[in-house]
Amino acid sequence: MDQIAEQKRLRYRAIQRITVVGVLVNLVLTVSKTLIGVLAQSQALVADGIHSLSDLLSDGLVYFAAKQAHHGPDKAHPYGHGRFETAGTLGLGILLGLVAIGITWDAAERLFAPEALLHPKPLALYAALFSIVANEALYHYTARVARQIKSDLLQANAWHHRSDALSSVVVLVGVGGTMAGLPYLDAIAAVGVGLMIAKIGWDLSWPAFQELVDEGLDEERLERIREIIHQIGGVMDIHMLRTRRIGGEASVDVHILVEPWLSVSEGHMIGQTVIDRLLEEISEVMDVTVHIDPEDDEKGVPCEGLPLRSMAEKLLAQQWRVIPGAEKRRRVVLHYLAGKINVDVYFSLQDLAGEDARQAFKQALQDKAAEMPEFGVIRVYYG
């Protein structure tokens, strides 16, 4: 657990560091593009400046979400705070969608009002070129760190930076075309920027929404999990394998089938091995819950309603009270299988002498127990 906590701390520090860089770059881009867009009369560049403002706001959102997500489990959040990162990604996608609507609406209005069209100046070209270089560099830097720490939120923010770079390319074309004598091209470029932002917003929002409604790991990862579990000694089969994503991590729940006559401690040891192997070999898995089954509870007859130990021992005592020596039993082990209680009962060898006497005694115990529908096989041991 200390290692997981350290990974979370390093992950948070990486997100914190790169977010600060993003804030500084986007602050410069927001001010420069918006101001130059107004001075150089380029609607597309002003729209691109607003896009950079959304980048600046998204950096703040990433910082807040990462700060919350790096905290470990607590009483209110037993599975940790990873979903803060997912919620942040969804919020970022929605923010992009709103920005896209505003930019597209304004540009479309100008397209139908020729007198409102702007006439960009050469300064707008230089601002667009600077934006392309700065945002593309920021994209590569952010995406590299996102892959290293497996952060969907940081990957989303990287694509937000790239969307700004791509939109600046559209601005460059629009401004250049308008200066070349195509007055509508700047407004058309602004519409193009809006549509690009909308597409990226959707691509971010939909996966985040699926994760918030407990989308599981993909089939390739599920198959790898099955393969790892089946390789562990003592595991006969698995079923009810369920996963869910939590931020950049994943939680796994699985039922494993083991030999029904194993001791509790051996079954626990097999289950713990499953947990350890999955945590070691599947990088995104940070939490594993294993349910040990002595039989396939999806197919077997349910044991629901059968009496627990205290009542089962009372029922056996009542049935066996007429059998001399039955009260000398040393230990009773109960096995709840196929809708019945199977019983292992232990006696001392000194309690009964002779094989014939022991066989008769065993048969008597089995016959009396068979009168109760709750009980199945009765096995008698001497030692």
Side-chain angles (χ1 to χ4, degrees):
M1 294 304 292
D2 290 341
Q3 184 178 2
I4 292 175
E6 179 64 15
Q7 288 176 352
K8 287 180 179 291
R9 189 186 69 81
L10 293 175
R11 194 168 187 265
Y12 169 61
R13 291 291 297 274
I15 293 177
Q16 186 182 47
R17 182 175 60 254
I18 200 166
T19 302
V20 170
V21 173
V23 166
L24 295 175
V25 172
N26 281 307
L27 182 60
V28 172
L29 289 174
T30 298
V31 174
S32 62
K33 286 195 289 188
T34 304
L35 185 60
I36 293 173
V38 173
L39 295 175
Q41 298 186 40
S42 171
Q43 184 186 8
L45 190 59
V46 171
D48 209 23
I50 296 173
H51 188 187
S52 290
L53 176 62
S54 74
D55 268 343
L56 185 60
L57 295 175
S58 75
D59 285 331
L61 184 62
V62 168
Y63 187 89
F64 171 77
K67 185 175 182 180
Q68 296 299 320
H70 94 283
H71 294 300
D74 57 27
K75 187 175 182 179
H77 303 87
Y79 286 95
H81 296 71
R83 287 279 170 85
F84 277 92
E85 189 169 320
T86 309
T89 303
L90 178 60
L92 179 53
I94 294 173
L95 175 63
L96 282 171
L98 293 175
V99 169
I101 291 172
I103 290 174
T104 306
W105 185 276
D106 182 65
E109 283 187 330
R110 290 181 184 273
L111 280 173
F112 289 99
E115 69 281 359
L117 291 172
L118 301 178
H119 302 283
K121 298 176 181 177
L123 184 59
L125 287 175
Y126 302 122
L129 280 171
F130 173 70
S131 177
I132 293 169
V133 173
N135 277 293
E136 187 65 14
L138 196 55
Y139 162 76
H140 284 289
Y141 177 41
T142 306
R144 179 170 56 83
V145 176
R147 287 192 297 270
Q148 289 173 349
I149 65 175
K150 296 181 175 62
S151 171
D152 289 339
L153 179 60
L154 208 55
Q155 188 67 47
N157 209 34
W159 276 104
H160 198 173
H161 296 318
R162 169 154 277 187
S163 75
D164 210 356
L166 293 174
S167 67
S168 294
V169 172
V170 176
V171 171
L172 188 67
V173 173
V175 171
T178 302
M179 292 175 62
L182 301 172
Y184 287 96
L185 208 54
D186 184 64
I188 291 173
V191 172
V193 170
L195 294 177
M196 289 170 60
I197 296 172
K199 171 65 165 60
I200 293 171
W202 171 259
D203 289 343
L204 298 180
S205 300
W206 180 241
F209 174 77
Q210 288 180 306
E211 183 176 322
L212 286 176
V213 294
D214 282 342
E215 181 191 35
L217 294 174
D218 58 62
E219 186 56 39
E220 181 180 350
R221 301 307 275 165
L222 290 177
E223 188 56 39
R224 177 60 182 147
I225 290 172
R226 294 188 189 99
E227 180 183 336
I228 291 171
I229 296 176
H230 278 298
Q231 290 173 351
I232 295 171
V235 175
M236 299 172 62
D237 201 0
I238 70 171
H239 57 281
M240 293 181 67
L241 172 60
R242 297 178 297 176
T243 63
R244 56 180 172 177
R245 294 184 178 275
I246 304 174
E249 302 171 354
S251 174
V252 177
D253 298 322
V254 64
H255 287 223
I256 65 171
L257 184 64
V258 300
E259 187 68 39
W261 310 108
L262 294 182
S263 66
V264 172
S265 60
E266 186 177 356
H268 170 76
M269 186 62 192
I270 294 171
Q272 187 60 50
T273 303
V274 169
I275 293 172
D276 294 342
R277 293 278 180 85
L278 291 180
L279 292 176
E280 288 172 6
E281 300 190 33
I282 306 293
S283 58
E284 61 264 53
V285 171
M286 292 296 174
D287 180 74
V288 182
T289 300
V290 176
H291 183 88
I292 305 296
D293 284 334
E295 60 185 354
D296 191 336
D297 50 13
E298 287 187 318
K299 301 176 182 178
V301 179
C303 293
E304 182 180 358
L306 290 176
L308 297 179
R309 173 170 287 276
S310 59
M311 179 55 68
E313 287 187 333
K314 287 181 181 178
L315 291 173
L316 289 172
Q318 289 174 3
Q319 287 297 102
W320 290 345
R321 68 183 185 276
V322 298
I323 303 175
E327 73 283 357
K328 295 181 180 180
R329 54 190 175 274
R330 301 294 181 89
R331 186 161 68 101
V332 175
V333 179
L334 306 179
H335 303 277
Y336 290 79
L337 298 168
K340 297 284 186 179
I341 305 176
N342 299 323
V343 181
D344 293 343
V345 57
Y346 294 80
F347 294 90
S348 171
L349 265 176
Q350 294 155 353
D351 293 334
L352 283 173
E355 182 63 28
D356 292 340
R358 287 196 288 270
Q359 285 297 328
F361 180 67
K362 175 182 176 181
Q363 191 62 51
L365 293 174
Q366 292 174 337
D367 290 344
K368 293 302 292 183
E371 295 175 6
M372 296 181 290
E374 300 91 343
F375 291 89
V377 177
I378 308 296
R379 299 191 296 187
V380 181
Y381 298 92
Y382 298 96

